[in-house]
């Protein structure tokens, strides 16, 4: 595989959960690609389907119906058996989960947990795996790795636990790293350190990275391409510079408008997108964002009816498709 070919190719991905009140389609007809050495940022509000998408790629959904195609390095993952998935997970695909404290076992030292990960995938002896665990902790900048490998998760700060999670994810030198909100609940200094660490390791190893976040500042800093999700669907896709320069979907513009600005006065309230995310139990037949959209609200009766009843396709200029009947509306400040 060359660097110009996608390592991961997702096409028409759907994830549906059965519930007592009916099926919930948490991801609907999603498509994207990730190439070696590149970072795809997936952004959106809570409930937009970001984490569900990442878990589907890893094959970690139990009880959900996953449809479409997920091709990793030429191998179709949808419908692949659990044993074959286990050989890929952790070895060629790894994931950093949102909450490191709940993801690490409290009864085992961090060194034991990383070493076990290495033994499972490489069949290495205990001494070799222990050495690899210490080396992995050193690679992610944990001081005195030999000593700290013998400590338990509760003895680490939040930032250090996140580094342990990164060390565990990278111990087997995977090709794809999925980072699900890796800087949530960390202060800005530690957040910057974690992002710099991931970027350095990506450059050294040619990692393909999926960065899942609601923080557009993180996306602007680390991503090469951006996928904006809303209501389980793709709203907009573009290169990061293009997206920030020409946000074309009203939802993307709303996310950018909600960021604090340096030229705002001290008593200026933060701008928010009105309304609430849509219910996935009763999805709209039209645009999922129509009920909250300033463009639809300002349009004619015919235009509002179109937004509410006709689902917009993900379409537009090459490299910057938008799922909107009226993209690049100039009435909303960017």
């Amino acid at each position: 595989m060359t660097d110009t070919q996608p390592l991961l190719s997702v096409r028409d991905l759907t994830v549906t959960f059965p519930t007592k009140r009916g099926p919930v389609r948490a991801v609907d007809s999603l498509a994207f690609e990730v190439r070696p050495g590149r970072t795809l940022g997936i952004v959106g509000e809570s409930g937009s389907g970001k984490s569900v998408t990442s878990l589907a790629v890893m094959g970690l959904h139990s009880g959900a119906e996953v449809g479409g195609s997920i091709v990793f390095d030429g191998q179709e993952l949808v419908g692949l058996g659990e044993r074959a998935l286990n050989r890929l997970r952790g070895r060629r695909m790894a994931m950093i989960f949102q909450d490191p404290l709940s993801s690490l076992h409290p009864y085992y030292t961090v060194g034991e947990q990383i070493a076990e990960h290495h033994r499972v995938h490489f069949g290495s002896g205990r001494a070799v795996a222990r050495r690899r665990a210490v080396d992995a902790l050193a690679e992610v900048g944990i001081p005195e790795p030999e000593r700290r490998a013998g400590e338990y998760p509760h003895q680490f700060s939040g930032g250090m636990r996140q580094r342990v999670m990164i060390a565990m994810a990278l111990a087997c030198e995977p090709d794809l790293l999925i980072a699900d909100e890796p800087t949530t609940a960390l202060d800005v200094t530690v957040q910057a350190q974690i992002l710099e660490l991931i970027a350095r390791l990506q450059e050294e190893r040619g990692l393909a990275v999926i960065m899942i976040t609601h923080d557009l500042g993180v996306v602007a800093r680390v991503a090469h391409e951006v996928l904006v999700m809303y209501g389980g669907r793709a709203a907009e896709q573009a290169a990061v510079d293009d997206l920030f320069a020409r946000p074309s979907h009203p939802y993307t513009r709303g996310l950018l408008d909600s960021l604090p600005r340096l030229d705002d006065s001290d008593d200026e309230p933060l701008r928010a997108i009105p309304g609430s995310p849509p219910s996935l139990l009763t999805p709209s037949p039209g645009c999922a964002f129509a009920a909250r959209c300033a463009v639809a609200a300002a349009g004619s009766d015919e235009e509002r009816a179109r937004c509410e009843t006709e689902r917009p396709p993900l379409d537009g200029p090459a490299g910057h498709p938008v799922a909107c009947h009226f993209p690049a509306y100039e009435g909303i400040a960017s």
Side-chain angles (χ1 to χ4, degrees):
M1 184 186 67
T2 67
D3 287 353
T4 59
Q5 296 175 322
L7 175 68
L8 179 71
S9 180
V10 175
R11 291 286 178 270
D12 198 29
L13 176 65
T14 61
V15 182
T16 307
F17 294 93
T19 72
K20 293 180 179 179
R21 297 176 59 190
V24 172
R25 179 160 287 187
V27 176
D28 191 357
S29 305
L30 195 65
F32 60 86
E33 294 180 345
V34 189
R35 287 174 167 75
R38 307 284 288 181
T39 296
L40 171 70
I42 303 181
V43 299
E45 293 171 287
S46 296
S48 60
K50 307 185 301 297
S51 295
V52 174
T53 298
S54 66
L55 293 172
V57 171
M58 295 293 292
L60 293 175
H61 284 305
S62 59
E65 180 182 339
V66 179
S69 173
I70 304 172
V71 176
F72 176 76
D73 197 13
Q75 183 175 15
E76 177 62 63
L77 302 187
V78 174
L80 194 64
E82 191 68 17
R83 180 172 294 182
L85 279 171
N86 282 336
R87 286 195 292 267
L88 291 174
R89 285 192 297 241
R91 175 62 188 92
R92 303 220 37 217
M93 304 186 301
M95 187 167 179
I96 304 169
F97 293 94
Q98 185 169 345
D99 182 4
L101 187 58
S102 63
S103 301
L104 293 167
H105 201 295
Y107 294 158
Y108 297 94
T109 67
V110 299
E112 288 175 314
Q113 294 181 62
I114 298 172
E116 180 186 19
H117 189 62
H118 195 269
R119 288 201 305 271
V120 166
H121 289 286
F122 289 99
S124 54
R126 300 184 71 87
V128 171
R130 164 75 181 188
R131 185 68 255 164
R132 181 68 188 100
V134 172
D135 291 343
L137 291 175
E139 287 172 1
V140 298
I142 291 182
E144 301 181 80
E146 185 76 44
R147 177 179 66 83
R148 304 223 65 180
E151 294 182 350
Y152 294 86
H154 72 271
Q155 295 175 279
F156 289 74
S157 67
M160 286 297 181
R161 282 195 293 266
Q162 196 62 279
R163 288 174 183 268
V164 170
M165 286 297 300
I166 296 172
M168 185 178 296
L170 298 180
C172 295
E173 300 187 1
D175 301 305
L176 173 67
L177 177 66
I178 301 176
D180 187 1
E181 303 275 11
T183 58
T184 296
L186 300 179
D187 63 62
V188 292
T189 302
V190 177
Q191 179 185 91
Q193 292 172 350
I194 295 297
L195 294 177
E196 288 171 3
L197 170 62
I198 293 174
R200 175 176 62 82
L201 293 171
Q202 179 183 40
E203 184 176 356
E204 292 174 356
R205 302 186 181 188
L207 274 173
V209 177
I210 298 177
M211 179 69 68
I212 298 170
T213 181
H214 61 272
D215 189 334
L216 288 168
V218 169
V219 168
R221 179 169 183 170
V222 304
H224 297 97
E225 292 85 31
V226 185
L227 166 63
V228 181
M229 292 187 67
Y230 185 79
R233 306 175 187 173
E236 186 168 359
Q237 290 178 263
V240 63
D241 292 339
D242 194 18
L243 185 93
F244 278 81
R246 300 188 302 114
S248 300
H249 195 286
Y251 178 60
T252 307
R253 289 172 170 256
L255 291 176
L256 291 171
D257 284 345
S258 67
L259 294 173
R261 301 170 64 109
L262 291 175
D263 56 358
D264 286 341
S265 61
D266 292 342
D267 57 353
E268 181 81 17
L270 291 176
R271 294 164 290 274
I273 300 174
S276 301
S279 168
L280 298 181
L281 275 169
T282 54
S284 167
C287 175
F289 189 60
R292 306 173 70 187
C293 181
V295 176
S300 65
D301 291 343
E302 182 180 341
E303 289 170 338
R304 284 197 300 274
R306 183 185 182 193
C307 291
E308 292 168 0
T309 61
E310 182 183 335
R311 179 172 176 175
L314 187 67
D315 200 5
H320 196 153
V322 183
C324 180
H325 294 304
F326 309 103
Y329 182 70
E330 297 301 329
I332 300 178
S334 60

